[in-house]
Amino acid sequence: MMPKTVRVEAIENGTVIDHIPAGKAMRAWAALRLPDDATAAITINVNSTKLGRKDIIFLTDRELSVKDVAKVGLVARGATLNIVRSGKVARKEPVQVPREVTGFLRCINPNCVTNHEKVPTRFSITLDPQLGLGKERVSATCRYCERSLSEQEFAMALQ
Amino acid sequence: MGFELADVISINDFSKSDLLAVLAAASKMEARTPEEKHSLLHSKTVATLFFEPSTRTRISFSTAIQNLGAREVGFADAKTSSTAKGESLIDTIRTIEKYAQAIVMRHPWDGAARLAADAGSIPIINAGDGSNQHPTQTLLDLYTIQKAFGRIDGLNIGMSGDLRFGRTVHSLATALTHFNVKQYHIAPESLCMPSDLKHKVAAKNKVSEFKTIEEAIPELDVLYCTRVQKERFADAMEYERVKDVFILNMDTLKDAKPTLKVMHPLPRVNEIAYEVDSSPHALYFQQLGNGLPVREALLHMMLAE
């Protein structure tokens, strides 16, 4: 039986993306765009003192940088990046939301030039601070057609 | 401080000093004699690429180019260009920039002008990209207000009709946030200003919302009318209910200030009755004419050595 709680140190060496909001692990995994041979375990809906329930991605023998996981920040806000070495957390940092993403989101505006010409999409990311720290609304604005995508639309726009 | 943009793509790129520089240059341009103007861009070549048909904007740009003494190359119909053979927009721009020092383009795709600016190294002036931006329209709208009142600050500016989909009102509302004005948004429920834009505008200007022109008209200095289009309504009954509310006639104008000016991006269909044309309120034909000095000023600013 799957344990209800999982420790970050469950792997010996590699990267653990912790505190992924429950249910968002698969989206976060897709956002990482790792090579086909990447070995990982994904736990879903485990207990968390901070979030109640959370998802975790355990990636063995591969260290990712804050930049590598920035796109995760778009689809799984509030996640934490842990680098594990010899069974110990060597580094722990919050996953940041990138300021700009290239070739990551597809523009959902069918009339946008990026859906007609062979050109990578570029979106600038803004945080609407209205709702307070950690709960800011994220939106992505297409550099070309200037259409803004809401957080709910990102899933549809993931390339 | 002055005009610092390399391209004219979107009104969102304009700072207040960019806007003021265009207004001042347009005013200066109007004071020049035809002979003076004709020497300004002598020996320059401007390409006008109209991937989508346009009458007023294209003729206005062509006249501006000729008035400044520059040569014009290009096409008025994409069917006569290599686009019809499947050439990409990026390749078209890279080809044209070998012959011209600036490109004026209209394109059916949203964002085409930004892509052209990214691809090429000469100035691009966006003459309309799909339903996204038409910055020279907004610049001529601002110039029209400035010219009619001698100022923009302190005015009560109303926008009526289709505020949900109307590109011209979105850009105007955005540009006005650089000024100290009060905005009146007048639209039926289903065609009101998109909420993200409304919040952006309300962060800078005082904004009041109305459902009918009559309610707002006594306070207005400017009324910018747009058309309520039948195809925008999911519910045909609602269109029938509101269509006549947004038709401006002399009766609607009876409580207006004598100095109220009525603007419209044109072409109009039936949203302004012909009887308004001869009233002192009508400013839309002067507005149309103001496109010329504004476009001349932009071309001059972007091309002069």
Side-chain angles (χ1 to χ4, degrees):
Chain A
M1 208 178 109
M2 189 80 190
K4 284 250 169 103
T5 52
V6 184
R7 290 182 63 79
V8 169
E9 295 85 349
I11 57 168
E12 191 63 19
N13 290 297
T15 305
V16 178
I17 303 173
D18 195 9
H19 301 118
I20 297 172
K24 299 227 170 139
M26 297 316 289
R27 222 181 265 180
W29 174 252
L32 283 170
R33 306 250 172 100
L34 290 168
D36 290 345
D37 62 354
T39 309
I42 297 176
T43 65
I44 289 172
N45 275 333
V46 291
N47 288 341
S48 160
T49 42
K50 199 168 131 191
L51 301 171
R53 301 217 162 247
K54 66 176 179 179
D55 295 354
I56 314 175
I57 297 175
F58 297 90
L59 186 65
T60 50
D61 300 327
R62 198 182 287 266
E63 292 192 6
L64 298 180
S65 68
V66 171
K67 202 165 165 243
D68 292 331
V69 299
K71 287 164 186 170
V72 171
L74 277 187
V75 292
R77 306 281 315 289
T80 321
L81 171 73
N82 297 271
I83 301 298
V84 182
R85 289 176 193 146
S86 308
K88 288 205 171 78
V89 177
R91 212 174 71 226
K92 185 176 177 177
E93 293 175 70
V95 173
Q96 304 285 344
V97 178
R99 306 195 92 177
E100 191 181 285
V101 286
T102 302
F104 179 68
L105 299 167
R106 180 180 60 81
C107 188
I108 61 167
N109 169 11
N111 200 43
C112 177
V113 70
T114 59
N115 288 317
H116 298 271
E117 289 266 323
K118 287 191 184 69
V119 57
T121 60
R122 281 171 71 182
F123 283 84
S124 59
I125 311 298
T126 43
L127 290 172
D128 180 350
Q130 269 181 28
L131 305 168
L133 206 66
K135 288 182 181 168
E136 307 99 330
R137 217 175 6 211
V138 188
S139 64
T141 307
C142 172
R143 167 171 173 77
Y144 297 101
C145 75
E146 305 188 349
R147 176 78 71 86
S148 282
L149 307 184
S150 66
E151 215 165 341
Q152 292 73 39
E153 287 167 325
F154 290 167
M156 206 182 356
L158 280 173
Q159 285 192 323
Chain B
M1 296 284 271
F3 190 74
E4 294 188 351
L5 298 173
D7 304 284
V8 174
I9 305 297
S10 162
I11 210 69
N12 295 320
D13 299 336
F14 278 74
S15 66
K16 182 166 186 177
S17 77
D18 291 324
L19 293 174
L20 293 176
V22 175
L23 302 185
S27 172
K28 203 170 152 192
M29 191 59 79
E30 281 209 89
R32 292 180 198 267
T33 64
E35 292 73 27
E36 273 175 345
K37 275 203 230 179
H38 204 258
S39 64
L40 292 174
L41 293 184
H42 191 65
S43 81
K44 300 283 186 190
T45 303
V46 178
T48 48
L49 312 184
F50 281 77
F51 295 90
E52 185 181 67
S54 150
T55 313
R56 285 157 304 120
T57 307
R58 187 172 58 78
I59 288 173
S60 177
F61 269 114
S62 291
T63 309
I65 292 164
Q66 287 162 32
N67 284 356
L68 299 178
R71 274 187 305 267
E72 181 187 2
V73 294
F75 49 85
D77 179 352
K79 285 194 206 76
T80 63
S81 79
S82 290
T83 307
K85 297 182 197 164
E87 184 179 55
S88 74
L89 173 62
I90 293 172
D91 285 359
T92 304
I93 298 299
R94 287 181 181 155
T95 304
I96 302 285
E97 70 178 0
K98 300 284 181 288
Y99 305 103
Q101 285 81 51
I103 291 173
V104 174
M105 65 176 272
R106 168 167 289 197
H107 200 287
W109 295 336
D110 303 342
R114 181 79 69 193
L115 181 62
D118 283 355
S121 56
I122 62 171
I124 305 284
I125 300 179
N126 183 7
D129 60 326
S131 61
N132 183 36
Q133 286 275 334
H134 188 7
T136 61
Q137 175 72 48
T138 311
L139 295 168
L140 79 87
D141 292 340
L142 290 179
Y143 182 60
T144 301
I145 298 171
Q146 163 85 35
K147 199 171 148 182
F149 293 88
R151 64 194 163 97
I152 296 173
D153 286 323
L155 297 177
N156 292 343
I157 298 176
M159 289 162 234
S160 72
D162 182 355
L163 305 189
R164 181 162 175 213
F165 298 100
R167 172 178 71 177
T168 52
V169 284
H170 293 173
S171 291
L172 181 61
T174 303
L176 287 172
T177 60
H178 291 291
F179 298 90
N180 178 23
V181 299
K182 191 169 171 194
Q183 295 197 25
Y184 295 69
H185 297 167
I186 311 158
E189 189 75 50
S190 56
L191 293 182
C192 66
M193 198 71 88
S195 64
D196 52 340
L197 181 59
K198 197 163 69 190
H199 288 130
K200 202 171 90 179
V201 170
K204 298 281 180 65
N205 290 159
K206 216 171 203 183
V207 178
S208 308
E209 293 184 282
F210 295 90
K211 296 270 177 293
T212 66
I213 296 174
E214 281 87 348
E215 289 171 272
I217 206 138
E219 292 181 39
L220 299 180
D221 297 304
V222 174
L223 175 62
Y224 195 102
C225 301
T226 62
R227 185 151 43 103
V228 170
Q229 289 166 282
K230 193 174 182 177
E231 57 271 26
R232 299 292 192 199
F233 285 83
D235 179 358
M237 288 288 285
E238 202 200 342
Y239 171 73
E240 291 302 322
R241 266 199 305 276
V242 304
K243 66 174 190 197
D244 294 333
V245 177
F246 290 90
I247 291 177
L248 189 74
N249 53 34
M250 288 315 286
D251 189 48
T252 329
L253 286 164
K254 66 182 189 301
D255 294 327
K257 291 181 188 176
T259 51
L260 168 82
K261 296 295 179 197
V262 176
M263 294 172 64
H264 189 293
L266 300 179
R268 74 172 146 181
V269 176
N270 62 351
E271 55 278 21
I272 301 178
Y274 285 102
E275 63 187 20
V276 180
D277 293 2
S278 55
S279 85
H281 298 301
L283 193 60
Y284 29 93
F285 290 113
Q286 284 102 304
Q287 178 187 1
L288 183 72
N290 287 335
L292 188 59
V294 167
R295 291 178 176 119
E296 287 169 348
L298 276 176
L299 286 164
H300 181 229
M301 284 195 292
M302 302 189 82
L303 276 166
E305 308 274 285

